[in-house]
Amino acid sequence: MPNSVTSPVRNKPWKVVLASYAGNALEWYDFFLYATAAALVLNKLFFPPAAPLIGTLASLGTFAVGFLARPIGGVIFAHFGDRIGRKKVLVVTLSLMGISTFLIGVLPTYHQIGVWAPILLVLLRVIQGAAVGGEWGGGVLLISEHVPARRRGFYSSWSQTGVVTGSVLSSLLFAGMQAMPSEQFLSWGWRIPFLLSILAAAIGLAIRSRISEAPEFTAATEQKRSRLPAWEAIRKYPRSVLITLGARLAENGASYIFLTFSLAYGTHIGLGGNTVLIGVVVASAIEGASMVGFGALSDRIGRRPVYLAGAIGLVVFAFPFFLLFDTRVPVNVWLALTIAVAGCHGAMIGTQPSFFSELFGANVRYSGMSLGHELASVIAGGLSPIIAVGLLGWAGSSWPVAVYLIVLGVLTAIAVFAAKETRPGERTPGKQVLTEGAA
């Protein structure tokens, strides 16, 4: 990859961080809101009456549909992001997410329109998935292509705090709505967090409109603009695409077991009230700080050691996680979620933006990152809650779910171990950190 010439148009780092953070937070608020609703309410309102576990599986199936749409959205939006710019594409993805989430909030239930209810729900979930598939890579690059290379880990990790904020906001709002009388909550209370998404999207769009295009992308595409960025990423960086995919298996698969399946598991073992939901909120809030710390640490000791620590930590903590849950003691449940989410997961997701962006050349970076990132979301993220519920139903206990977490952790450790260290040394801010084919 030829060296880039730094563009004279460069936003201040914190201005770009705010734009990426705000957009990611609002986008992932919508996406995680659906995950919470799928585990707690959509199974009761949008599917024919059935055994509780079957209804949960059907609801989580629509959750998985969003993940199937993510690679498609990722490839389509990344194609245009590598050709016309990151900023323009991110305006489209945020708009689509806000509108589709709002429409879920006004959707009639199964008892009102029958089978059309789950059909329309699936359609809107597909739009959500396509939008978020294009959002992650662009949001990350908005930061990583603006900031000094030697601090890329620290600054770009802030884009991931938007993911945590989205999770916390959706969980808090849902917990608040659940405090309502059950009849009111099931009738209209659950809709309020979905309806608020249209306001959130408007705020995000206003913030993003105030920044300029990433200078590193502008400089690179002035020299060479790829006609088919996704194909060129596969052809020139096949190893990087596979490493990106493999590195995400544990991070993505485990996150939805901790944040989504744990809600269903808590109900299964008789944890009352909002015990697990409170734990998810607390752990996610702590992770918001821990992932920035891990990103900064990766600037000092390298991307691979930090990411590997998270994957290995997941392997070690898989069984203790469920043992703490099974005590049914709230403090133990919160401790389990905090260690798993803020520790193991935080080390991986905090390092991910800088690590993945440094694996590809600027003119195909959006496409290359999105390919590996979103394919892994189908294999791991979308299927992990369904697999976990299926394993729980088969065994009647959590041990096979713990084994599943260990397998994901081992696969990710292998992928990261096979990667080359990408952390740059002391270089001129904005310069590329890889030479052509280095990945």
Side-chain angles (χ1 to χ4, degrees), residues 17 40 96 104 186 189 196 220 237 241 254 276 284 306 311 339 374 386 405 430:
V17 166
L40 298 177
L96 282 175
I104 291 175
L186 291 174
L196 290 175
Y237 302 97
V241 172
V276 180
S284 297
V306 179
I339 294 173
E374 301 310 331
I386 297 176
L405 284 173

Side-chain angles (χ1 to χ4, degrees), residues 71 90 109 226 242 267 352 366 369:
L90 290 173
T109 66
S226 176
L242 291 175
T267 301
Q352 208 173 83
Y366 201 154
M369 287 174 59

Side-chain angles (χ1 to χ4, degrees), residues 194-211:
F194 286 90
L195 298 177
L196 290 175
S197 65
I198 201 72
L199 176 62
I203 295 172
L205 290 171
I207 294 174
R208 281 188 172 173
S209 67
R210 299 177 181 273
I211 61 168

Side-chain angles (χ1 to χ4, degrees), residues 316-352:
V316 173
F317 193 61
F319 275 98
F321 175 80
F322 288 105
L323 290 174
L324 287 169
F325 253 73
D326 290 341
T327 66
R328 297 176 179 83
V329 177
V331 173
N332 289 345
V333 172
W334 300 338
L335 177 63
L337 286 165
T338 300
I339 294 173
V341 175
C344 304
H345 183 255
M348 292 184 281
I349 199 170
T351 313
Q352 208 173 83

Side-chain angles (χ1 to χ4, degrees), residues 29 33 105 173 177 180 188-197:
Y29 162 80
L33 179 62
L173 271 172
M177 293 301 104
M180 301 171 61
W188 56 268
W190 70 271
R191 297 180 184 274
I192 293 176
F194 286 90
L195 298 177
L196 290 175
S197 65

Side-chain angles (χ1 to χ4, degrees), residues 212-235:
S212 61
E213 186 56 77
E216 190 173 317
F217 162 77
T218 302
T221 53
E222 282 175 357
Q223 299 176 40
K224 181 183 179 182
R225 192 182 299 268
S226 176
R227 293 184 60 189
L228 295 172
W231 170 244
E232 188 170 335
I234 293 171
R235 184 172 61 85

Side-chain angles (χ1 to χ4, degrees), residues 104-191:
I104 291 175
V106 299
L107 199 61
T109 66
Y110 181 84
H111 293 292
Q112 294 171 317
I113 60 172
V115 72
W116 283 105
I119 290 174
L120 291 173
L121 185 66
V122 168
L123 176 61
L124 292 172
R125 182 59 179 169
V126 167
I127 297 173
Q128 275 194 327
V132 84
E135 167 70 23
W136 184 85
V140 165
L141 294 180
L142 207 61
I143 297 178
S144 66
E145 292 181 340
H146 269 96
V147 301
R150 60 187 175 82
R151 300 201 69 195
R152 185 176 288 126
F154 168 70
Y155 280 120
S156 62
S157 66
W158 281 92
S159 67
Q160 303 291 56
T161 65
V163 179
V164 173
T165 302
S167 173
V168 170
L169 284 175
S170 65
S171 297
L172 282 175
L173 271 172
F174 230 87
M177 293 301 104
Q178 278 196 300
M180 301 171 61
S182 178
E183 183 178 344
Q184 293 181 21
F185 173 69
L186 291 174
S187 175
W188 56 268
W190 70 271
R191 297 180 184 274

